[in-house]
């Protein structure tokens, strides 16, 4: 069996995992809304909130606040590695 070679000039793109993408949204200065997180992960609102609860249990401190009637979530500190 022969191995196929990758054509010249084509680079491999590394896409961050879904959890990493969610953490990236939550660490922004403005945070992320439930709708943004749900759209990114293709989750329903209750699944998204459950994931946030899981992050809290892992030691992340998640702040939330209302901006123009829309709740924003943001990670204010992460657990020590």
């Amino acid at each position: 069996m022969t191995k196929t070679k990758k054509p010249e000039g084509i680079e491999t793109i590394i896409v961050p995992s879904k959890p990493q993408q969610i953490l990236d949204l939550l660490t922004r200065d403005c945070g992320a809304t439930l709708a943004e997180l749900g759209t990114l992960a293709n989750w329903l609102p209750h699944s998204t909130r459950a994931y946030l609860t899981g992050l809290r249990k892992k030691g992340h401190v998640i702040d939330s606040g209302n901006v123009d009637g829309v709740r924003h979530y943001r990670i204010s500190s992460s657990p020590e590695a």
Side-chain angles (χ1 to χ4, degrees), residues 1-6:
M1 197 178 235
T2 61
K3 291 184 177 181
T4 58
K5 292 184 178 181
K6 185 172 63 170

Side-chain angles (χ1 to χ4, degrees), residues 42-76:
N42 198 23
W43 291 337
L44 294 174
H46 67 275
S47 300
T48 308
R49 285 190 295 270
Y51 188 78
L52 292 174
T53 300
L55 289 175
R56 285 186 182 107
K57 288 182 179 180
K58 290 180 181 178
H60 294 277
V61 177
I62 299 177
D63 295 329
S64 67
N66 278 328
V67 177
D68 296 328
V70 178
R71 183 161 300 280
H72 287 257
Y73 299 91
R74 189 174 75 79
I75 291 181
S76 59

Side-chain angles (χ1 to χ4, degrees), residues 2-60:
T2 61
K3 291 184 177 181
T4 58
K5 292 184 178 181
K6 185 172 63 170
E8 292 291 324
I10 295 180
E11 296 181 29
T12 303
I13 298 173
I14 299 173
V15 178
S17 64
K18 191 181 295 187
Q20 185 59 49
Q21 290 176 352
I22 291 173
L23 286 174
D24 290 344
L25 279 182
L26 291 171
T27 54
R28 298 184 304 183
D29 288 337
C30 62
T33 65
L34 197 63
E36 290 172 332
L37 295 170
T39 301
L40 172 75
N42 198 23
W43 291 337
L44 294 174
H46 67 275
S47 300
T48 308
R49 285 190 295 270
Y51 188 78
L52 292 174
T53 300
L55 289 175
R56 285 186 182 107
K57 288 182 179 180
K58 290 180 181 178
H60 294 277

